[in-house]
């Protein structure tokens, strides 16, 4: 026999890379239901802004009248304040008693509050108090939905698809904020109560759907309720946000209320209570606010980045609305009464940019991780603010549209990966608390942003608007004493008059009775579309540069925080 030829062992074929597990049918049901709920809850936070003129006309109350500005501010900020304070508590309760149970109850509360809001039986201040009170209840329902939706999705989707799911949810939240601006104008043009009616069919259908189809398949954490933590956190954060709300209102002879003893007491007392809260949370076995989660690098960096972006973004919406309604739209032929609706329409490129970038960034973060995409989004976000600083106050619309679309793209690129990174980094038993903490940072950042942005703008206007307004009024024939008196009124009234679709000059001069005594030509000039915008343009643009500059810096810091989140890590 011949010699055997040695056989060469076959090289083993490379093992195929396992494909990512696909979500089951329940996961898609959970995504559809929570997305509808989050969109509805977020839409209600902004739909009222554009509808405010119709709402206050409907209850026969002048929100710019003496002593009434607080009703206006509470209608704008009360909803977000309640959400910021309660959402983390409700997320923790979801961990303890069932996320779906808490979420379903939120649908019921939100729907009942919407029905009660639409049937306001009062007028004047009582009508405003009815709306503010039931808006608080509506915000509680919205908080129950927001606090638990991300945790429900994280339970339902495999880790490799959470970016897409959470991104879709986050997109629904921010898209609701943007679309609410247009929806508010359209609905208010029909009937101001329709702003609240729109929630009822969605709420009823969503409630029944959620009770029938959603199930609690997450890990329960049957811990005790941290009563002292809940109380000190709610009182501390609530006090700071209430102080911020009253800080931008006039006080005494000042254009703002930051020197008011009440405001200072709320801010200092709130900060002290939060310090007490932090001490409590480090010394009890089952805390409400899981400070230990901040030892997780991705969780800590993601929340810091999210807070900075929320502060950069939250109040900018108001500045863009005032820019359009108070200056650009009147200069381009739109009456003040038309400006609320058209401001929402002209801001649509921002919504479009967000809706395009959000889903794509969520899908890409599932494949490539969150850090690079979220950081890139923060950079694009910062670039959009720099661009807005460079265009003139009477801009060509194509340039404005391109820059706000870029702003929406940057926001969308950041939001989805950042949420996915935060929620994917925590243990399954803490997802409700983590979702609530993430939402708390976002809502608190938005509320603080409104205070910061209005403070910067009012401070800038207080130094330059009175002289230009006084000289402009005197040139048209207004007596110097009245011109000086009107020019020294707090600028916040003029800013909010623009938001409410009211001619600011007509509003300022009406109580003096001087307008009717002027020649017809002077009256036409003062109440025309160009007089106030031409006086406001230069001082307002100077303030815009400061506001956009601060937002750009915060966005850059958010990008740096995002870089620190480390490599991909899912629980």
């Amino acid at each position: 026999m011949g010699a055997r030829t040695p056989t060469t062992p076959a090289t083993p074929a490379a093992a195929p890379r396992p494909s990512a597990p696909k979500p089951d049918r329940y996961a898609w049901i959970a995504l559809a239901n929570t997305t509808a709920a989050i969109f509805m809850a977020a839409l209600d936070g902004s739909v009222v802004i554009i509808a405010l003129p119709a709402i206050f006309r409907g209850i026969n109350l002048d929100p710019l009248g003496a002593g009434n500005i607080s009703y206006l501010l509470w209608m704008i900020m009360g909803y977000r304040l309640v959400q910021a304070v309660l959402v983390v508590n409700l997320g923790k309760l979801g961990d303890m008693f069932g996320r779906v149970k808490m979420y379903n109850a939120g649908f019921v509360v939100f729907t009942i509050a919407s029905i009660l809001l639409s049937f306001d039986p009062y007028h004047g201040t009582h009508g405003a108090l009815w709306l503010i009170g039931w808006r608080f209840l509506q915000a509680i329902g919205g908080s129950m939905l927001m606090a638990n939706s991300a945790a429900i999705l994280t339970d339902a989707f495999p880790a490799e698809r959470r970016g897409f799911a959470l991104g879709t949810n986050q997109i629904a939240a921010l898209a609701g904020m943007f679309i609410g601006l247009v929806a508010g104008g359209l609905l208010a043009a029909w009937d101001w109560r329709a702003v609240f009616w729109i929630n009822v069919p969605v709420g009823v259908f969503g409630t029944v759907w959620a009770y029938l189809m959603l199930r609690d398949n997450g890990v329960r954490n049957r811990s005790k309720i941290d009563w002292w933590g809940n109380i000190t956190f709610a009182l501390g954060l609530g006090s700071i946000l209430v102080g911020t709300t009253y800080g931008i209102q006039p006080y005494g002879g000042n254009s703002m209320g930051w020197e008011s003893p009440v405001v200072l007491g709320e801010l200092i007392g709130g900060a002290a209570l939060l310090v007490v809260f932090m001490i409590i949370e480090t010394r009890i076995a089952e805390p409400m606010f899981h400070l230990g989660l901040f030892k997780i690098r991705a969780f800590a960096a993601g929340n810091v980045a999210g807070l900075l972006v929320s502060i950069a973004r939250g109040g900018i919406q108001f500045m863009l609305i005032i820019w359009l309604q108070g200056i650009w739209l009147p200069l381009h032929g739109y009456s003040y009464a038309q400006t609320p609706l058209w401001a929402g329409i002209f801001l649509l490129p921002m919504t479009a940019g967000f809706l395009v970038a959000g889903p794509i960034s969520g899908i890409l973060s599932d494949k490539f991780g969150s850090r690079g995409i979220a950081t890139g989004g923060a950079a694009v976000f910062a670039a959009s603010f720099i661009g807005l600083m460079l265009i003139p106050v009477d801009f060509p619309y194509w340039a404005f549209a391109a820059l706000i679309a870029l702003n929406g793209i940057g926001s969308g690129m950041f939001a989805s990966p950042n949420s996915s990174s935060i929620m994917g980094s925590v243990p399954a038993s803490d997802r409700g608390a983590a979702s609530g903490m993430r939402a708390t940072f976002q809502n608190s950042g938005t509320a603080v942003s409104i205070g910061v942005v209005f403070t910067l703008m009012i401070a800038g206007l207080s130094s330059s608007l009175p002289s230009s307004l006084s000289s402009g009024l005197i040139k048209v024939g207004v007596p110097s004493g009245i011109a000086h008196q009107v020019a020294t009124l707090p600028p916040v009234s003029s800013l909010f008059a623009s938001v409410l679709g009211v001619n600011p000059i007509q509003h300022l001069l009406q109580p003096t009775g001087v307008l009717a005594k002027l020649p017809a030509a002077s009256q036409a000039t003062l109440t025309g579309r160009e007089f106030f915008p031409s006086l406001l343009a230069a001082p307002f643009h100077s303030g815009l540069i400061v506001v956009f500059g601060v937002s750009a810096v915060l966005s850059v810091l958010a990008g740096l925080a995002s870089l620190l989140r480390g490599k991909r890590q899912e629980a």
Side-chain angles (χ1 to χ4, degrees):
M1 293 180 66
R4 286 183 67 183
T5 305
T7 57
T8 305
T11 304
R17 186 178 178 182
S19 58
K22 294 184 178 180
D24 59 15
R25 180 172 175 271
Y26 171 74
W28 296 114
I29 292 172
L31 178 61
N33 190 280
T34 56
T35 298
I38 291 302
F39 178 82
M40 179 183 69
L43 179 116
D44 218 76
S46 62
V47 71
V48 168
I49 295 172
I50 297 297
L52 282 172
I55 290 172
F56 280 107
R57 281 197 304 272
I59 61 174
N60 296 322
L61 179 69
D62 177 11
L64 300 174
N68 290 343
I69 195 77
S70 61
Y71 298 120
L72 175 63
L73 281 172
W74 278 111
M75 283 292 292
I76 292 172
M77 296 185 67
Y79 188 86
R80 296 201 181 282
L81 189 151
V82 172
Q83 284 192 329
V85 170
L86 291 183
V87 73
V88 69
N89 311 60
L90 296 169
K92 179 66 175 176
L93 290 175
D95 284 340
M96 294 168 60
F97 302 111
R99 293 154 192 165
V100 169
K101 187 182 296 183
M102 190 65 59
Y103 172 89
N104 291 347
F107 247 132
V108 174
V109 171
F110 192 93
T111 306
I112 290 172
S114 298
I115 294 170
L116 290 168
L117 279 162
S118 66
F119 288 102
D120 187 348
Y122 300 110
H123 291 91
T125 57
H126 289 94
L129 290 171
W130 174 280
L131 293 175
I132 291 167
W134 292 119
R135 281 279 285 173
F136 283 172
L137 181 67
Q138 193 181 46
I140 292 171
S143 300
M144 295 166 82
L145 294 170
M146 286 189 159
N148 292 284
S149 62
I152 290 170
L153 287 179
T154 307
D155 290 337
F157 276 81
E160 294 79 3
R161 297 301 300 273
R162 283 181 195 150
F164 166 76
L166 291 167
T168 302
N169 216 234
Q170 185 77 355
I171 289 154
L174 293 176
M177 288 171 56
F178 296 135
I179 293 172
L181 297 176
V182 179
L186 294 172
L187 292 169
W190 173 38
D191 190 308
W192 70 267
R193 297 177 192 271
V195 171
F196 306 112
W197 289 338
I198 192 66
N199 297 319
V200 176
V202 178
V204 171
F205 176 75
T207 300
V208 175
W209 185 19
Y211 269 98
L212 292 176
M213 303 299 293
L214 296 186
R215 63 176 184 260
D216 259 315
N217 56 0
V219 177
R220 293 277 184 91
N221 183 11
R222 290 283 190 179
S223 56
K224 295 179 181 178
I225 296 177
D226 172 18
W227 290 110
W228 286 112
N230 277 270
I231 292 168
T232 52
F233 179 79
L235 290 177
L237 182 59
S239 182
I240 288 175
L241 296 180
V242 169
T244 303
T245 301
Y246 283 106
I248 60 177
Q249 296 186 48
Y251 170 71
N254 298 322
S255 59
M256 289 181 287
W258 295 111
E259 297 178 9
S260 162
V262 174
V263 170
L264 290 173
E266 287 170 336
L267 295 175
I268 295 169
L273 281 169
L274 288 181
V275 171
V276 173
F277 163 74
M278 299 286 280
I279 295 170
I280 291 171
E281 297 304 278
T282 58
R283 297 191 177 186
I284 65 172
E286 297 173 345
M288 177 202 85
F289 209 91
H290 243 295
L291 296 177
L293 293 178
F294 287 98
K295 295 178 181 177
I296 301 170
R297 188 171 170 182
F299 181 84
N303 275 303
V304 170
L307 175 65
L308 291 169
V309 165
S310 293
I311 297 174
R313 178 181 57 213
I316 294 301
Q317 190 180 72
F318 283 95
M319 290 302 105
L320 295 177
I321 290 171
I322 293 169
W323 192 357
L324 287 170
Q325 291 187 216
I327 300 174
W328 195 85
L329 286 169
L331 289 177
H332 288 259
Y334 294 85
S335 69
Y336 281 98
Q338 294 175 312
T339 57
L341 173 60
W342 283 100
I345 292 172
F346 278 111
L347 286 174
L348 281 176
M350 181 185 288
T351 308
F354 185 84
L355 291 177
V356 169
I360 295 173
S361 65
I363 294 168
L364 292 176
S365 70
D366 286 334
K367 285 187 79 173
F368 303 110
S370 301
R371 180 169 61 172
I373 299 169
T375 303
V380 171
F381 199 50
S384 70
F385 288 120
I386 294 170
L388 287 168
M389 291 169 64
L390 298 176
I391 63 173
V393 69
D394 188 12
F395 47 78
Y397 180 70
W398 66 266
F400 179 79
L403 287 169
I404 63 172
L406 190 68
N407 189 277
I409 290 169
S411 186
M413 286 176 63
F414 174 83
S416 302
N418 194 59
S419 293
S420 177
S421 173
I422 291 170
M423 293 303 299
S425 68
V426 300
S429 60
D430 292 319
R431 283 173 183 160
S435 176
M437 291 162 78
R438 176 187 62 84
T440 294
F441 281 111
Q442 181 176 310
N443 289 320
S444 299
T446 300
V448 169
S449 176
I450 294 170
V452 169
V453 164
F454 270 102
T455 296
L456 292 172
M457 180 57 71
I458 292 169
L461 291 179
S462 297
S463 62
S464 53
L465 183 60
S467 58
S468 60
L469 182 56
S470 179
S471 59
L473 290 171
I474 292 171
K475 285 179 183 177
V476 185
V478 176
S480 58
I482 293 177
H484 178 72
Q485 174 193 339
V486 167
T488 53
L489 291 173
V492 68
S493 294
S494 299
L495 293 178
F496 280 126
S498 300
V499 173
L500 293 169
V502 175
N503 186 320
I505 294 297
Q506 193 168 357
H507 171 76
L508 292 172
L509 289 177
Q510 203 164 17
T512 67
V514 73
L515 197 59
K517 300 174 183 177
L518 294 174
S522 297
Q523 291 184 38
T525 299
L526 288 168
T527 59
R529 291 191 294 263
E530 296 185 5
F531 182 78
F532 183 72
S534 63
L535 292 177
L536 180 65
F540 186 76
H541 192 245
S542 299
L544 276 180
I545 290 174
V546 175
V547 168
F548 289 147
V550 170
S551 290
V553 170
L554 289 170
S555 302
V556 170
L557 293 175
L560 294 175
S562 180
L563 279 174
L564 297 175
R565 75 178 73 237
K567 294 182 179 180
R568 186 171 184 161
Q569 176 186 2
E570 267 89 24

